[in-house]
Amino acid sequence: MKISAEFIVSAAGPRDFPQSGLPEVAMVGRSNVGKSSLINALTRQRVARTSAAPGKTRLANIYLVARGSAAPFHLVDLPGYGYARRSKGDAEGTSFEALTEAFFARERTSAVLLIDSRHPGLDSDRAAWQWLHRAAPAAIVGTKIDKLTRSERTRALRQLESVFEDTVLPVSAVTGEGLDELWKLIDRLANSRQP
């Protein structure tokens, strides 16, 4: 299936968000959970910049994505939480909390919470899920599943589903495992936010 993706804007605050009225699905997660890598794997191109150093994404990077005959939507790479890396020059309102609250205060937003499968049940992830669940339609994805052995994987997924009391979709940006299921989940979220 043909996938098109293009970078639209890096948003520092509400005035930078697109006003197109398209549904928006945000990738939310801790720094270095693999948001940018997963966006690249989903779109089958290097549209998002990746880095081994946590805290590099400081703005909301917004991409226009269309898959097959489905309606286009914005896929949004939000800055990671849990890594305090702000320079003295950062303007007020560019923190993760301010940017995220402004993003989800708008209509037509939904979220995919990405959790590193190797670290189930972190306090920051639980807090993010509690907040997201109230803010917008959301789903949970366990990233980097390829880094676990079969037994570690089974244990981690059980623990994730127990902690979050919800289904967790295991995915790997490296092997492509779970990407088709993730597309179905994203389509469902985007369609739930159509005008």
Side-chain angles (χ1 to χ4, degrees):
M1 184 176 299
K2 184 179 179 195
I3 300 169
S4 66
E6 69 175 286
F7 172 76
I8 299 296
V9 69
S10 288
R15 69 184 170 281
D16 301 328
F17 294 144
Q19 303 300 315
S20 64
L22 292 175
E24 297 175 321
V25 179
M27 297 295 201
V28 181
R30 287 186 316 115
S31 295
N32 223 22
V33 74
K35 294 183 299 294
S36 300
S37 295
L38 194 54
I39 288 170
N40 290 339
L42 281 167
T43 61
R44 300 183 195 146
Q45 57 186 291
R46 289 188 57 88
V47 67
R49 288 189 203 154
T50 60
S51 172
K56 286 291 187 185
T57 302
R58 313 272 294 274
L59 306 170
N61 293 316
I62 302 172
Y63 307 91
L64 178 64
V65 177
R67 181 174 171 257
S69 60
F73 68 97
H74 287 134
L75 190 58
V76 182
D77 185 1
L78 287 175
Y81 57 82
Y83 189 83
R85 180 182 177 153
R86 293 185 67 196
S87 68
K88 291 179 184 172
D90 277 355
E92 187 62 36
T94 59
S95 70
F96 169 81
E97 294 84 7
L99 188 60
T100 302
E101 285 177 16
F103 177 79
F104 286 110
R106 302 162 62 236
E107 294 181 17
R108 294 181 295 283
T109 59
S110 57
V112 176
L113 177 62
L114 304 182
I115 297 171
D116 189 328
S117 297
R118 301 170 299 176
H119 307 292
L122 295 177
D123 289 342
S124 58
D125 289 334
R126 288 200 310 254
W129 180 240
Q130 288 172 356
W131 186 87
L132 271 177
H133 217 339
R134 291 188 305 268
I140 305 174
V141 166
T143 63
K144 304 184 182 184
I145 199 70
D146 56 289
K147 308 268 189 208
L148 300 175
T149 66
R150 188 175 299 273
S151 62
E152 290 171 335
R153 165 197 182 115
T154 302
R155 193 168 38 254
L157 286 173
R158 270 196 214 125
Q159 187 176 356
L160 281 167
E161 292 185 347
S162 172
V163 166
F164 293 97
E165 299 177 351
D166 211 323
T167 303
V168 176
L169 174 65
V171 299
S172 168
V174 174
T175 67
E177 178 183 348
L179 292 184
D180 288 340
E181 292 83 1
L182 180 53
W183 266 119
K184 290 175 190 168
L185 190 150
I186 289 171
D187 287 342
R188 233 181 1 258
L189 288 169
N191 288 332
S192 76
R193 305 310 274 174
Q194 288 285 0

